[in-house]
Amino acid sequence: QVRLVESGGGSVQAGGSLRLSCAASPDTYRPACMGWYRQAPGKEREGVARIYLRAGSTVYADSVKGRFTISQDNAKKTLDLQMNNLRPEDTAMYFCAAHSNFCGSLAAGNADIWGRGTQVTVSS
């Protein structure tokens, strides 16, 4: 059974940076695409960023464009999310997700494998 485990969350001040990582187990798992989603208390889950693993192409939510970068670290075999210039509104639980075969839209969020999440808190 495939598992996704996130790490790297924490608390920072506005303008700061954090880097999230997601490791898949087994590391031979090769989904069609992987991405990061977030959910703040009282809000709906939001697609943040996605990478199509074969093509390497990426998609971002408008709210994070120019600030967040999603990438694959082939050496560490992780999916990373570099978050710069963080804002208080980025505060949320961040989830790593994988689509084994069909990706759909980032907004749809219909991944078939989900991690348990890592908390990101940005203070003003």
Side-chain angles (χ1 to χ4, degrees):
Q1 185 173 355
V2 177
R3 292 178 61 234
L4 301 177
V5 179
E6 303 95 337
S7 61
S11 298
V12 295
Q13 290 192 324
S17 298
L18 283 173
R19 188 176 185 88
L20 306 183
S21 289
C22 173
S25 176
D27 61 11
T28 52
Y29 175 56
R30 292 292 180 268
C33 60
M34 294 185 72
W36 290 92
Y37 292 80
R38 67 186 181 187
Q39 189 165 20
K43 294 190 176 181
E44 292 188 356
R45 185 178 59 199
E46 174 189 20
V48 175
R50 171 183 288 170
I51 187 166
Y52 295 86
L53 296 185
R54 291 188 182 89
S57 56
T58 57
V59 177
Y60 295 93
D62 288 343
S63 58
V64 306
K65 279 181 183 176
R67 300 188 299 122
F68 290 13
T69 303
I70 189 171
S71 62
Q72 301 177 75
D73 187 319
N74 292 324
K76 294 190 298 182
K77 298 184 178 180
T78 59
L79 175 74
D80 295 340
L81 184 69
Q82 178 66 42
M83 306 185 294
N84 298 328
N85 193 20
L86 283 160
R87 304 167 179 168
E89 54 264 38
D90 295 318
T91 295
M93 184 71 79
Y94 283 70
F95 299 90
C96 176
H99 300 247
S100 296
N101 299 298
F102 176 71
C103 296
S105 69
L106 177 62
N110 56 345
D112 51 318
I113 309 290
W114 291 87
R116 299 183 69 175
T118 185
Q119 179 67 37
V120 171
T121 303
V122 185
S123 58
S124 57

